[in-house]
Amino acid sequence: MSWFTSAPWYGLVIGCLVGSAAQATEAPERTWQQEANYRISATLDDQKHLLTAEATIEYVNHSPQTLMFLWIEVWPNAYQGRTTPFASQQLALGRQEFWYARPEELGWMEALDFRVGEQPLKWEYEPRHPDLVKVNLATPLKPGERVVLQTPFRVVLPGDFSRMGHRDQAYQLTDWYPQVAAYDAQGWHQRSYLEQDNRYAEFGSADVTLTLPKNYVVAATGRLTSEEEWAWLLARSTQKLRTDRFPLEDESPVSAGATKTIRFVSDHTHGFAWVADKRFNVRHGEVTLPSGQKVDTWAMFTNRRAFAWENALDEAAQMLTTYSVGNGAYAYPSLAMVELPLRRSGTINYPGLVGIPAATREAAVTTALAHQVARQWYGGMIGLDGHTSPWLVDGLAAAAQDRYLAERHPNQTLNDLAPQPWGALSGLNAFPQARRHEIDYLAAARGGTEQTLQTNAAGYLPGNYQAFAEAKAALAFRYARQYLGNEKYDALMRQYTTAWQFRHPKPADVQALFEEQTGETWDWLFRDLLQTDKKLDYAVRRSSVSEKTATLYVENVGSIAGPITVSAVRGGKVVQTKWYPGFTGVQKIELANEGWEHLVIDPEHHMPEYNRQNNTIELVTDRRVEPIRVRLLPTLEDNRYTQLFITPVGGYNATDKVMLGAAFYNSILPRKPLRYLVMPMWSSGQRGLTGSFQVAGEVPSITTLGRIDAALRTDIYAGYIRTQPHVRLAFGDGLDLQQPQKELSLRLVNMRFGLQQLPAYQDGAPIPGQSWQRYNVLTTTYRIHQQNALERWELRGELQNKGADFALLSATAEWNFHYRRKSQVRLRGFAGGFLLARNLTNGFRLGMSGSTDYLGDQILLDRRGVTETVPAFLRQRIDDQGGFRGLTSAYSRKGLVALNGAVDVPYLPISVFGDVGYTPDGGGLLTGTGLSLRLLPEILTIDVPLAGSSYADRFPTGIDDVTKQIRFTLHLKQLTPSTMLRRALTL
C-alpha cells in the first residue's frame, strides 16, 4: 500500500471523485481524474544558492487510456538562458533584465535520473522547450494502475527575475521540483513556465522535508509537522517588532552554522511552494470557522513593511470566515501569508500559502490578501485551469475580494491604495475602492486593446490580464450577484464548491449550475459578456411624469441584453431600486411617482456599463446632462458629473517668448469616446493668443479591417496657424505582440501666416524677409512597426501632395537594438523623391540635414530665426529626411537617400554616430561622423560632428570650427504639460 492510499484523507478524495449521496448537491458526473503524489527531501546551500534533492513521484492512471509516457515539467530550466519561452515572453512584456542576466544569475535543474525501482527510464527534453521532459515508461501504464518514479535533482537557483529564485539569502521556491503535467479528456497539458500564466496540475499529496540553516523562517504549502520548529516559530511570533534589528531592507543575519530539518505534509494539493528568509517577523493566529474547523494563520514579513502588516492576522480571520460562509468551508488546516522577497515576482498562490509583493500601505496589503485568500477556493480547492480560463479563477476571486472590502472597509477609497502624495492631489478619495476594477476594465477597453476572456493567460497584452481576466470578469460576477441577491448567489457558490472541490471543473460547469439552480438562461452573462467583446450599454432617451406615474424610455445601445437596474433619486439619494429583465431596442419602464427628481440607470455600479454618461435624466426638465463639475487637477471619470478639468500650462519660444495659460479638457482615465482639449496661452512676445485646440475620438465601426480614430487640431505658435484633420485606420485588432502592427493615416495640413510672415531657409538657417504663402499639404502614411524590450523596428511610406506644386514620395526604415542593457545600436534609412515639382520654393526642398518642418510637426525654439540673446537656438536639429547630425548645405529638388547610424558607448551617455547620403543635385555623396551626448535620453541630445561634409576639407581646422558645427536635438513634446495631457486624448 502506498503512502497515498494509507493517508486518512484517501477516502474523502475518492468520495469527491465519484460523488456522495449524502451531499446536499449531487456532484456532476466526472468519469475520471488523474492523481500525482510527491515525497521530496531537499537541502539548501545558501552560499552556493543550490538545492540538492531526491523526489519520489507516485502517478495513478485513472483514465481509460493506456499511457506509454509521462510529461514532466522541470520549470527551473526556464531560467537557463535566452532560448526558453520564458525569456521570449519577458521581451514581449517589455523587460530586459533576464535577457542581460549575468551567468551567475541564471538557474536550471540538473542531475535528473528517472528510475522505477532500480530500472532506469529513457527520457528526453522537448527540443524547443528545455523545461519539459518526456519520460518513456518501461511498461505501459494501464487504466487503474500506478507507477512510482524516483529521481535525484539539483536546482541552481536563479536571481530575481520572476516567481522562483533568490535575492541575496532570501529564497522563493515555486515550481522547483519535477512535476507531472496535467492529463485529462483533452490529453496532455504540458506547458513551459511563463510568468504571465497560471499552473494547471493534478491533485494529490506532498510530503516534503527541508534541510537548511537553523535561523531561516520558512512558510510553505501544507501543515508543519516538526514540533521543535513549531515551538521556535511560536516563540518568535511573541517577539515585539524591532525595526533596528535589520536596519536595511536587504541586510540579512549571518546564516547559522547548524542546520535544521523540517517537514511539511499537504493533502489535496496541486503544487508545493516555500519561502525562506532570515529577516522575517512572525505572527501566528488561530481561526475557528462557522463549521467548527480550526485554521492556523501565519503572517511573515520584514521590518521595513511591518506597519503595513499590523492587522494581517485579523483580516485573514475575517476573510476565511466570510469566504467560508459565501463559498463553502475552507479545506486546508493552515494559511500562511508572506511578504515575498523577490521584487519581480508578482503574487504566488498555493494551497495554504499566499504571497504578495512588498507594499507601503496597510490598505494595499489588505486588498492584495483579500484577492489571494479568495483565490484559495477557485485556484486551490476547486482547481480551475488558470491557463485556459484565467477569467474564471481571478474573476471569481476578484468579485469576492470586492465584496469583502466593500463590507469590511466601506469607507476605503482609491486614495488609500495610491502612493502619496499623488493620491491626495488627484481626488482619488472621492472614489470607493470598488471602482478599481471598473476603471481597469474601461481604461483598457476604451483604449482599443480589448481582448476577449477566451484568451489564455499567456496571450494577454501587458496590463490586459488585470483589465480583463481579472477586472472585467469580476464586474461580470458582481453583476450576477447583485441581480440574484446575496443569498441566492452565495448558495450557488457553496454548491459549486461542494460539487467540484478537488475536481478541475470546466467553464461550462459553472454556467450549467447557474441555469440548473435558477431555471433561467444565462447566455447574456457566460456567452455574451464573458466570451466576447460585446458591450453592455443602456441609455435613457426621454421621460414623462404624471400625478401617479414616472415613465422612463430606455434604449439598449449596446449588444448585450442583460438585466437592468433603474433607481429613483430624491434629495440626491437613491430611494428606490428595481431590476428589470434585459431587452433589445427601446423599452418603457414605469414607476410609481413619489416625487422623484431623477431616474438613473445603475447609480450604484452593479452593472458593467460601458458608458455611464447616458444613464441619468431629470424628470421635470427631461434633461439628460449631468451637472458640470470643474476641477483644477485631473482625476478619474465620475459619471455623476459632466467634468471639466483645468490645469495651468506654460511654454517658451523665441518668437512668442514666455507663454502662460490653462488647459481645459474633459478626459484622462478612462478615456472618453469623444475628447477635447482647449489650451489658450498669452504670448508675451506677440502680445496675443497662442495655444492648441483639439477634439479627438473613435469613429463608430464601419469596416472589419480595424479600428478608426479621428482628430481635429489647431495650433497657433510663432506667427503661424496650423489646422489639421487627421484620420487613422489601425489594421486588425493589434492584440498579437508577435505580429507587426499596421496602420494607414490621412491628414490635411493647412498652414497660414496671418500674424507675421515666416522666413524661408537656406543652408539650414532662416532668411528673414522671405515669406511662405498659405498652403495645404495632404499627407498619406502607411506604417508597419513592432517592438519588444530588445528591439524596435519601423517601416514607413509617405506621400505628400501640395496640389499642383509638388508630390513627394518617401520611405523611412528604423531599427533600434539593445546590444547590452541600456546601450543601443540605432540605424535609420531614408529615400525620397519628387514625383511632381513645380514652383518649388526653398522651404519645400528635401534636406540632407533635415527638413524645414513645413508641416509644423516639430516644437522649435526659434522657428523664425529672430534669436539675438541665444543664437544656439538656431542650431536645433530636425531629425527627419536626410537626418544628418552635422549641418550641410545639401538640398534637393529631385531626390535624396541617406543612412544614419549610432552606437551607444557602454556606461557613458555618449554615442558614436555616422551618416552617409547622396543627392544628385545637392552635392553628390556626403558623409559625417562624430559624437552625441545624450543629456536626457529620448529628449535632449548634443551632436558634435568631428569629420565629414560639414567641414570644407572634411575635417575641422580647430576648436572654433568644431563649436560652430555643434547642433542639438530637442524633443520638447516629451516634456510639455500639454503633451502629457494629449497622451490620454489623441491618436
Side-chain angles (χ1 to χ4, degrees):
M1 180 179 292
S2 73
W3 78 86
F4 172 77
T5 55
S6 64
W9 56 276
Y10 175 72
L12 171 62
V13 173
I14 296 300
C16 288
L17 292 175
V18 301
S20 171
Q23 292 176 331
T25 300
E26 185 77 16
E29 182 180 0
R30 181 75 83 221
T31 56
W32 57 271
Q33 181 172 297
Q34 302 294 72
E35 176 188 327
N37 308 296
Y38 299 84
R39 179 177 288 162
I40 304 172
S41 176
T43 300
L44 173 66
D45 183 337
D46 66 350
Q47 302 303 310
K48 297 179 180 180
H49 308 303
L50 178 68
L51 200 66
T52 303
E54 294 272 351
T56 300
I57 306 170
E58 180 190 54
Y59 186 77
V60 186
N61 182 16
H62 293 297
S63 79
Q65 289 86 34
T66 297
L67 302 180
M68 309 301 294
F69 58 85
L70 303 180
W71 277 107
I72 307 289
E73 295 168 342
V74 289
W75 281 4
N77 282 348
Y79 301 91
Q80 70 179 22
R82 297 177 176 180
T83 60
T84 67
F86 166 73
S88 298
Q89 189 192 56
Q90 289 290 291
L91 292 181
L93 294 174
R95 301 171 187 166
Q96 292 183 354
E97 292 82 6
F98 183 74
W99 189 266
Y100 294 112
R102 299 186 301 272
E104 63 271 20
E105 294 178 305
L106 299 178
W108 59 87
M109 181 181 287
E110 60 188 16
L112 289 168
D113 183 16
F114 291 100
R115 294 172 175 268
V116 173
E118 297 299 320
Q119 182 178 10
L121 300 177
K122 293 182 179 180
W123 59 275
E124 60 185 350
Y125 290 105
E126 206 284 332
R128 294 177 299 173
H129 300 264
D131 51 356
L132 297 177
V133 168
K134 184 179 181 181
V135 178
N136 295 295
L137 300 174
T139 58
L141 187 63
K142 297 179 181 179
E145 293 184 345
R146 67 189 65 229
V147 63
V148 178
L149 284 68
Q150 298 91 25
T151 183
F153 66 97
R154 287 194 300 269
V155 179
V156 178
L157 296 170
D160 185 358
F161 299 111
S162 188
R163 292 192 186 97
M164 188 193 78
H166 72 96
R167 186 175 184 84
D168 297 325
Q169 288 185 327
Y171 296 89
Q172 189 171 310
L173 280 297
T174 62
D175 306 309
W176 53 281
Y177 57 93
Q179 191 163 354
V180 184
Y183 181 82
D184 59 21
Q186 284 75 47
W188 284 105
H189 293 268
Q190 73 276 14
R191 294 166 184 157
S192 286
Y193 173 73
L194 297 172
E195 180 173 318
Q196 185 176 286
D197 206 348
N198 296 300
R199 170 172 281 290
Y200 178 48
E202 304 294 359
F203 281 104
S205 67
D207 187 336
V208 179
T209 58
L210 304 172
T211 301
L212 71 171
K214 203 167 187 177
N215 56 338
Y216 274 94
V217 175
V218 178
T221 301
R223 178 171 51 88
L224 176 64
T225 64
S226 306
E227 294 184 4
E228 185 177 348
E229 184 72 4
W230 253 101
W232 182 71
L233 290 175
L234 290 177
R236 194 175 177 104
S237 73
T238 62
Q239 295 175 359
K240 293 183 178 179
L241 299 179
R242 289 184 53 201
T243 56
D244 61 339
R245 188 166 23 158
F246 313 124
L248 299 177
E249 181 184 10
D250 291 328
E251 276 196 19
S252 184
V254 175
S255 294
T259 63
K260 62 184 176 183
T261 298
I262 56 179
R263 181 184 179 213
F264 293 88
V265 176
S266 179
D267 301 331
H268 322 318
T269 188
H270 44 72
F272 182 93
W274 54 288
V275 179
D277 197 325
K278 292 173 287 188
R279 302 168 301 165
F280 275 155
N281 296 290
V282 178
R283 291 294 178 266
H284 173 260
E286 186 179 76
V287 184
T288 301
L289 301 180
S291 63
Q293 175 190 349
K294 294 184 182 298
V295 178
D296 285 294
T297 56
W298 300 90
M300 300 178 181
F301 50 90
T302 60
N303 284 337
R304 191 169 181 179
R305 311 297 187 212
F307 58 90
W309 284 77
E310 185 175 358
N311 294 312
L313 288 181
D314 291 339
E315 292 290 351
Q318 191 63 42
M319 291 172 194
L320 288 171
T321 300
T322 300
Y323 295 155
S324 291
V325 170
N327 301 327
Y330 184 65
Y332 302 111
S334 64
L335 174 67
M337 302 168 293
V338 184
E339 177 193 316
L340 296 176
L342 300 188
R343 295 180 178 177
R344 300 187 180 101
S345 166
T347 60
I348 66 170
N349 198 297
Y350 290 79
L353 174 67
V354 300
I356 64 173
T360 59
R361 307 190 70 175
E362 182 180 331
V365 169
T366 300
T367 299
L369 290 177
H371 182 90
Q372 294 305 316
V373 174
R375 215 175 184 274
Q376 289 282 294
W377 271 259
Y378 307 111
M381 293 159 49
I382 296 175
L384 292 164
D385 184 352
H387 171 79
T388 58
S389 305
W391 61 271
L392 198 51
V393 181
D394 281 302
L396 284 168
Q401 168 200 29
D402 281 350
R403 180 182 175 186
Y404 171 82
L405 293 173
E407 295 175 354
R408 171 81 169 171
H409 301 281
N411 298 321
Q412 184 173 298
T413 69
L414 294 181
N415 182 51
D416 296 315
L417 305 178
Q420 297 288 4
W422 166 244
L425 295 174
S426 62
L428 296 182
N429 55 354
F431 297 89
Q433 63 79 26
R435 291 286 306 280
R436 180 172 57 93
H437 285 132
E438 181 180 80
I439 292 163
D440 287 343
Y441 160 59
L442 291 178
R446 293 186 192 170
T449 63
E450 180 158 9
Q451 293 175 269
T452 72
L453 301 189
Q454 298 308 298
T455 306
N456 67 51
Y460 283 103
L461 297 178
N464 271 9
Y465 186 100
Q466 180 176 347
F468 298 110
E470 181 178 324
K472 181 182 177 181
L475 296 175
F477 286 113
R478 181 200 301 176
Y479 185 20
R481 176 173 64 85
Q482 295 292 349
Y483 170 63
L484 288 171
N486 288 341
E487 186 176 345
K488 289 183 179 180
Y489 181 83
D490 289 347
L492 282 173
M493 289 296 98
R494 288 193 297 269
Q495 291 169 11
Y496 185 53
T497 299
T498 299
W500 291 109
Q501 193 169 358
F502 315 131
R503 301 184 61 222
H504 295 312
K506 304 301 181 185
D509 296 318
V510 68
Q511 180 175 359
L513 178 66
F514 268 64
E515 293 183 342
E516 176 187 343
Q517 296 299 317
T518 65
E520 300 179 21
T521 299
W522 284 78
D523 283 347
W524 56 268
L525 180 77
F526 291 100
R527 183 191 64 192
D528 297 340
L529 189 56
L530 289 172
Q531 295 187 27
T532 73
D533 59 0
K534 294 178 180 180
K535 307 297 188 294
L536 182 75
D537 191 7
Y538 287 99
V540 297
R541 286 303 180 222
R542 61 187 179 90
S543 65
S544 61
V545 182
S546 67
E547 183 178 348
K548 295 184 178 181
T549 305
T551 303
L552 179 67
Y553 293 87
V554 178
E555 181 179 1
N556 188 342
V557 296
S559 46
I560 298 175
I564 178 176
T565 176
V566 175
S567 296
V569 178
R570 185 174 57 217
K573 296 182 179 180
V574 174
V575 180
Q576 183 184 104
T577 297
K578 187 176 180 181
W579 283 93
Y580 299 88
F583 56 86
T584 58
V586 178
Q587 180 111 345
K588 180 174 70 173
I589 294 175
E590 293 185 340
L591 298 87
N593 185 8
E594 299 181 21
W596 313 131
E597 298 167 359
H598 297 84
L599 294 180
V600 185
I601 297 173
D602 191 34
E604 296 171 310
H605 294 254
H606 296 326
M607 303 162 55
E609 276 273 282
Y610 186 72
N611 178 18
R612 293 183 177 275
Q613 295 299 130
N614 55 17
N615 284 14
T616 301
I617 194 165
E618 187 176 29
L619 287 176
V620 176
T621 63
D622 206 32
R623 187 180 64 176
R624 291 179 290 166
V625 178
E626 297 79 8
I628 296 176
R629 169 165 285 190
V630 179
R631 180 177 168 79
L632 181 62
L633 294 176
T635 189
L636 301 174
E637 177 182 289
D638 190 337
N639 66 287
R640 297 172 299 174
Y641 307 100
T642 298
Q643 293 171 295
L644 174 62
F645 305 123
I646 304 176
T647 301
V649 294
Y652 176 87
N653 64 56
T655 301
D656 297 313
K657 306 299 182 185
V658 175
M659 297 174 286
L660 296 175
F664 301 83
Y665 49 102
N666 73 328
S667 180
I668 287 293
L669 191 74
R671 195 170 72 166
K672 291 184 180 296
L674 183 65
R675 308 169 294 281
Y676 65 80
L677 169 67
V678 179
M679 192 176 66
M681 294 188 289
W682 178 259
S683 163
S684 61
Q686 300 255 26
R687 300 288 180 182
L689 185 68
T690 63
S692 296
F693 311 89
Q694 179 175 286
V695 61
E698 289 76 47
V699 177
S701 180
I702 58 176
T703 176
T704 59
L705 294 176
R707 170 180 169 154
I708 299 177
D709 298 320
L712 175 63
R713 175 175 170 181
T714 295
D715 298 295
I716 305 174
Y717 295 106
Y720 75 90
I721 301 176
R722 180 182 73 157
T723 301
Q724 58 169 347
H726 187 179
V727 178
R728 182 189 67 176
L729 169 62
F731 291 96
D733 55 21
L735 301 179
D736 186 354
L737 293 178
Q738 305 302 318
Q739 298 297 321
Q741 310 299 302
K742 304 172 185 178
E743 60 185 56
L744 178 67
S745 62
L746 184 69
R747 65 170 176 156
L748 177 64
V749 178
N750 174 264
M751 298 288 288
R752 290 173 289 168
F753 307 103
L755 303 180
Q756 292 187 25
Q757 291 184 333
L758 202 67
Y761 282 70
Q762 179 175 329
D763 297 337
I767 306 174
Q770 298 183 16
S771 65
W772 293 341
Q773 302 299 316
R774 170 177 172 173
Y775 58 85
N776 297 300
V777 178
L778 180 64
T779 301
T780 304
T781 304
Y782 180 76
R783 178 172 173 250
I784 177 171
H785 60 98
Q786 189 175 15
Q787 72 178 55
N788 58 32
L790 188 65
E791 64 178 342
R792 180 189 70 82
W793 64 265
E794 177 177 331
L795 298 175
R796 185 170 64 252
E798 187 168 272
L799 176 64
Q800 297 179 3
N801 178 249
K802 182 175 176 288
D805 290 339
F806 79 78
L808 172 62
L809 182 64
S810 66
T812 304
E814 297 178 357
W815 180 64
N816 293 359
F817 176 77
H818 285 82
Y819 70 92
R820 59 177 294 124
R821 192 179 300 179
K822 299 182 180 180
S823 297
Q824 296 186 62
V825 174
R826 301 174 181 85
L827 292 177
R828 177 183 177 274
F830 174 83
F834 287 97
L835 305 178
L836 173 67
R838 298 175 183 171
N839 303 318
L840 201 61
T841 63
N842 287 344
F844 297 103
R845 297 177 299 173
L846 285 167
M848 190 64 76
S849 295
S851 74
T852 57
D853 193 35
Y854 51 83
L855 296 180
D857 290 334
Q858 306 295 324
I859 297 178
L860 303 180
L861 293 177
D862 191 3
R863 183 178 294 275
R864 297 184 62 247
V866 299
T867 297
E868 296 179 358
T869 57
V870 191
F873 282 1
L874 299 177
R875 300 187 186 182
Q876 184 173 351
R877 170 176 169 262
I878 300 173
D879 53 349
D880 63 1
Q881 293 187 358
F884 268 46
R885 277 81 163 180
L887 185 60
T888 72
S889 58
Y891 288 86
S892 175
R893 289 183 170 87
K894 293 183 179 180
L896 181 153
V897 294
L899 179 65
N900 318 115
V903 179
D904 295 342
V905 177
Y907 309 112
L908 295 174
I910 295 174
S911 303
V912 179
F913 70 78
D915 302 314
V916 61
Y918 175 80
T919 176
D921 58 340
L925 183 66
L926 303 170
T927 61
T929 189
L931 299 176
S932 295
L933 178 62
R934 305 187 311 275
L935 295 181
L936 296 172
E938 311 301 331
I939 296 175
L940 175 61
T941 303
I942 306 297
D943 300 307
V944 184
L946 298 178
S949 304
S950 298
Y951 298 103
D953 296 321
R954 293 198 172 272
F955 292 97
T957 57
I959 191 66
D960 290 341
D961 211 7
V962 173
T963 56
K964 290 178 182 179
Q965 292 295 325
I966 294 176
R967 303 177 75 195
F968 69 94
T969 305
L970 182 61
H971 293 130
L972 276 176
K973 290 184 178 181
Q974 305 298 322
L975 292 177
T976 59
S978 59
T979 300
M980 295 177 186
L981 297 176
R982 286 195 191 107
R983 288 173 184 169
L985 299 172
T986 60
L987 299 176

